[in-house]
Amino acid sequence: MASLGCVAALCAAGGLCGRVARGAAGLSGRWLRRGYAVARAESAPTFGFLLDIDGVLVRGHKVIPAALEAFHRLMDSHGQLRVPVVFVTNAGNILQHDKAQELSALLGCKVDPDQVILSHSPMKLFVQYHSKRMLVSGQGPVVENARALGFQKVVTVDELRIAFPVLDMVDLQRRPKIMHLPRNDFPAIEGVLLLGEPVRWETSLQLIMDVLLSNGNPGTGLATAPYPHLPVLACNMDLLWMAEAKMPRFGHGTFLLCLEAIYRKVTGKELRYEGLMGKPSILTYQYAEDLIRQQAERRGWGSPIRKLYAIGDNPMSDVYGANLFHQYLKRAKHGEAEEQQAGSLQKQRLSATQSCASILVCTGVYHPQNLGSAEPFLGGMESPFHGHRDFSFRPELLEASYIVNDVNEAVQLVFRQEGWA
């Protein structure tokens, strides 16, 4: 229907060109049609982009050439973005400000920090946990990230290991040579933040389990593990991600899978999350939608943003998440959508967004045998479900709205759909 609308608009423009040409010698219909397209392109946009980063714009620390071409199209003659753009990544081992600077340097386009959504960004909404003493797992500036999210009392896995050295016993080189008396002055931990895959998985898995099984007092032992256990907030459920290697690498979703399996094996119960965010969580897309709206308002674009185009390389996180959010928007339109809770998350404002289309590119995790399938290619075998345990498998949500070679083709596709030159 969108393409038919574009054709109708161009036909109408052609009629107008003919009438004007008859009254203005020397002006051709072709020139005026080109002028009409430029006018459309400079009008206020009614659509925006949600761009994944790894596998779409970069591979490791190298920019994908098609990304530079795409941003050449996305920017106007003044170096300003022509449409609202938000970068939505499941990475989280970097500060938001630093990620914005990194993208600016790679893409040759000024990226503001509030255009970047890291996997843990929606944790800002979980204000009921911000005053609790939280154990944080991950790598990079985990303390700075946790504090930027609003958490005031943060304990790292390394700090916990130093306080209780007998807990970390796998690495023979790090085992304590002298056994000290257990500490009884270490404040109890009240929750766990999982911000991304750590470097030493065995240490993090062991100490997180210790905290959960001891109700936040790992220096003591409990006869029975408490259940429900302490609150756990986690982000980035990607089982795999794509860097410079030819094959995908383990993501934080693999670490979560290990933790869940160990907890279930030890206790006979399921590990529970108070919040799961990052793609494909609807909460992450709601957060992104709000940033798109704010960006359009700052630019003075009066028209509401009605369509979102999510471009990604991972069928499970990018395509599944965008399609899930699209279904949520359709239900919301008919008053059927359930509120996405984030504890004391403020009630979502009435959204003008009507749709979210998923566009799958072939420069990252997804490597098709042909462009007819949205499933990861596994030599003809039926693809396993790579999603998180708490997201039920719905095969239809893995089907991308569009499949293209790269992000530049994706931007061209959207511009055609929206009638932009």
Side-chain angles (χ1 to χ4, degrees):
M1 294 299 293
S3 58
L4 290 177
C6 295
V7 172
L10 289 172
C11 289
L16 176 62
C17 290
R19 290 194 296 273
V20 173
R22 285 191 293 270
L27 296 180
S28 70
R30 181 180 179 185
W31 186 91
L32 282 171
R33 280 194 294 273
R34 190 184 304 122
Y36 173 82
V38 171
R40 281 292 303 271
E42 296 300 325
S43 63
T46 59
F47 63 98
F49 287 98
L50 308 182
L51 298 182
D52 182 36
I53 298 176
D54 292 300
V56 174
L57 305 177
V58 300
R59 287 280 295 269
H61 295 289
K62 296 181 179 179
V63 68
I64 296 171
L68 298 177
E69 298 175 28
F71 272 83
H72 181 72
R73 296 179 187 279
L74 286 169
M75 291 188 295
D76 62 20
S77 58
H78 304 289
Q80 295 285 321
L81 287 169
R82 299 163 64 193
V83 297
V85 173
V86 166
F87 302 87
V88 189
T89 176
N90 270 353
N93 59 350
I94 190 172
L95 294 172
Q96 188 177 19
H97 181 270
D98 291 344
K99 193 65 177 179
Q101 286 188 328
E102 179 185 292
L103 288 170
S104 297
L106 288 170
L107 300 173
C109 169
K110 188 179 186 305
V111 176
D112 294 322
D114 57 8
Q115 286 179 273
V116 177
I117 298 179
L118 302 173
S119 59
H120 46 64
S121 295
M123 285 188 183
K124 293 176 183 177
L125 305 173
F126 288 78
V127 294
Q128 70 273 33
Y129 300 113
H130 288 177
S131 62
K132 294 186 179 295
R133 188 173 175 83
M134 306 291 284
L135 175 69
V136 59
S137 169
Q139 60 180 288
V142 290
V143 173
E144 294 90 335
N145 268 325
R147 288 177 178 162
L149 294 168
F151 295 95
Q152 303 156 23
K153 305 171 185 176
V154 180
V155 179
T156 67
V157 171
D158 275 342
E159 288 172 335
L160 190 64
R161 183 183 66 83
I162 292 170
F164 302 100
V166 296
L167 298 182
D168 187 22
M169 301 296 284
V170 173
D171 189 340
L172 296 177
Q173 299 299 318
R174 297 210 304 179
R175 285 188 183 182
K177 303 300 184 288
I178 301 174
M179 296 295 180
H180 297 282
L181 292 174
R183 291 183 57 172
N184 56 12
D185 62 340
F186 197 86
I189 291 170
E190 300 172 282
V192 178
L193 293 178
L194 304 177
L195 297 188
E197 60 270 23
V199 175
R200 301 183 67 98
W201 286 31
E202 80 284 356
T203 296
S204 293
L205 288 169
Q206 178 69 77
L207 270 63
I208 292 168
M209 283 293 298
D210 290 336
V211 166
L212 295 177
L213 296 177
S214 67
N215 204 34
N217 296 281
T220 64
L222 294 180
T224 304
Y227 198 82
H229 52 69
L230 293 174
V232 177
L233 299 174
C235 63
N236 185 354
M237 297 163 275
D238 284 353
L239 188 75
L240 304 169
W241 70 289
M242 203 70 183
E244 291 94 342
K246 298 296 184 182
M247 296 178 66
R249 304 293 86 195
F250 290 158
H252 192 219
T254 307
F255 179 82
L256 297 180
L257 182 64
C258 294
L259 181 62
E260 293 156 10
I262 294 169
Y263 188 87
R264 184 175 62 250
K265 193 72 171 178
V266 171
T267 68
K269 299 180 176 66
E270 295 292 338
L271 183 75
R272 295 171 52 174
Y273 297 96
E274 293 299 313
L276 271 172
M277 56 219 75
K279 299 173 290 188
S281 167
I282 288 177
L283 182 62
T284 291
Y285 287 85
Q286 288 177 316
Y287 193 85
E289 176 196 16
D290 202 44
L291 291 190
I292 286 280
R293 176 188 56 80
Q294 293 175 29
Q295 191 179 146
E297 289 175 354
R298 285 196 304 271
R299 292 290 301 274
W301 291 323
S303 302
I305 303 300
R306 301 194 180 280
K307 298 179 183 178
L308 295 178
Y309 292 91
I311 303 175
D313 70 304
N314 190 324
M316 188 53 240
S317 59
D318 299 309
V319 173
Y320 202 95
N323 290 342
L324 193 64
F325 184 55
H326 178 72
Q327 291 198 348
Y328 169 84
L329 290 172
K330 289 197 298 185
R331 293 196 305 271
K333 185 178 179 181
H334 297 93
E336 300 170 358
E338 295 181 3
E339 187 77 13
Q340 296 300 305
Q341 296 294 335
S344 59
L345 173 61
Q346 295 178 350
K347 195 174 183 64
Q348 294 289 324
R349 58 178 288 142
L350 188 62
S351 172
T353 307
Q354 298 175 347
S355 65
C356 182
S358 54
I359 304 179
L360 184 62
V361 300
C362 306
T363 50
V365 169
Y366 176 64
H367 281 292
Q369 186 179 26
N370 55 67
L371 292 183
S373 170
E375 297 289 329
F377 174 59
L378 294 174
M381 296 173 58
E382 183 178 349
S383 176
F385 179 53
H386 283 178
H388 187 266
R389 175 201 70 187
D390 291 358
F391 286 75
S392 58
F393 183 39
R394 295 166 59 185
E396 71 276 11
L397 295 184
L398 284 171
E399 298 177 7
S401 306
Y402 308 95
I403 302 176
V404 296
N405 285 312
D406 53 48
V407 65
N408 186 42
E409 286 190 14
V411 170
Q412 292 181 71
L413 168 70
V414 172
F415 279 7
R416 288 195 301 270
Q417 291 283 353
E418 296 297 327
W420 282 41

